[in-house]
Structure formats: C-alpha cells, structure tokens
Amino acid sequence: MGHERRERAVVDIEGTGWEERRLREWLTGRLAARLGLAAEEARGIGPGTSFEQCGLDAVGALALAVDAESACGVLLEPTVAWDHPTVGSLARHLAREAERSRTARGEPAW
C-alpha cells in the first residue's frame, strides 16, 4: 500500500496521470501495429520517440489521428501527429482533450 501511494505521488508530481500513461501504451501499440513492428522493436518506442523516427508517413499519421479520435471520443485536427510529434506529447494532448470533453459533458474524471 505504501509503495502504491508513493508511486501515485511521483506520478502526480511529474504531471502524468493514469490516463496519459494508458494513452501512451495505447499509442505505442497502435504505432507498432501500423508499422508492422515486432514486439522487440516496439519496446524501443518511448515517450520521447518521434513519429518521424518510427518512419510514420503522412497517411499513417492521419490514420493514427483517426484511431486516436475514435479511441478517445474527441475530435482532433488531422495534423495532430505533426502538432504533437512524439508519443509522449500526443498522449499528453489526448489526455487533456479527453478531460476537457468529459468536463464539458459534466462527467466525472474517474
């Protein structure tokens, strides 16, 4: 229990919540699948990995944006992968947009 509490505090201090982590994992999986990466290669994709480094082209970036829009239930600009060019920055953006959308609908965060 103490470890869990400490982990939560570290997460809160760093400004990354459970939803952002979940979205980072989801993005990594979608990106790996879209690029046909093996599990070993997918482990190399971290929060600071850019979509360009992964070899994602314009069509792939647009498809990733459509997937993210559908998964998060928010409307995204088609250029979202260019505006937020790393796994971490896009996950952070998606988490904020999802929270904004929930707040607008009056839904609780949990």
Side-chain angles (χ1 to χ4, degrees):
M1 180 85 143
H3 176 65
E4 181 180 310
R5 186 175 291 157
R6 187 177 327 129
E7 173 67 24
R8 184 178 213 156
V10 169
V11 167
D12 291 344
I13 289 168
E14 292 175 357
T16 57
W18 64 271
E19 187 167 29
E20 185 178 328
R21 280 195 322 269
R22 184 177 58 86
L23 285 165
R24 251 192 337 256
E25 292 169 4
W26 178 85
L27 276 170
T28 299
R30 291 300 303 154
L31 187 57
R34 181 156 301 286
L35 297 171
L37 299 177
E40 293 173 3
E41 295 169 308
R43 280 191 283 266
I45 300 173
T49 303
S50 74
F51 301 121
E52 184 178 12
Q53 285 174 305
C54 292
L56 193 67
D57 63 9
V59 173
L62 183 57
L64 185 64
V66 170
D67 290 347
E69 190 175 72
S70 185
C72 295
V74 297
L75 291 175
L76 299 171
E77 293 294 323
T79 59
V80 72
W82 286 277
D83 298 337
H84 305 279
T86 66
V87 171
S89 65
L90 183 53
R92 199 168 19 264
H93 176 71
L94 293 174
R96 279 187 296 224
E97 289 302 308
E99 176 62 27
R100 226 176 271 167
S101 179
R102 273 194 304 275
T103 301
R105 292 189 308 261
E107 296 175 7
W110 297 87

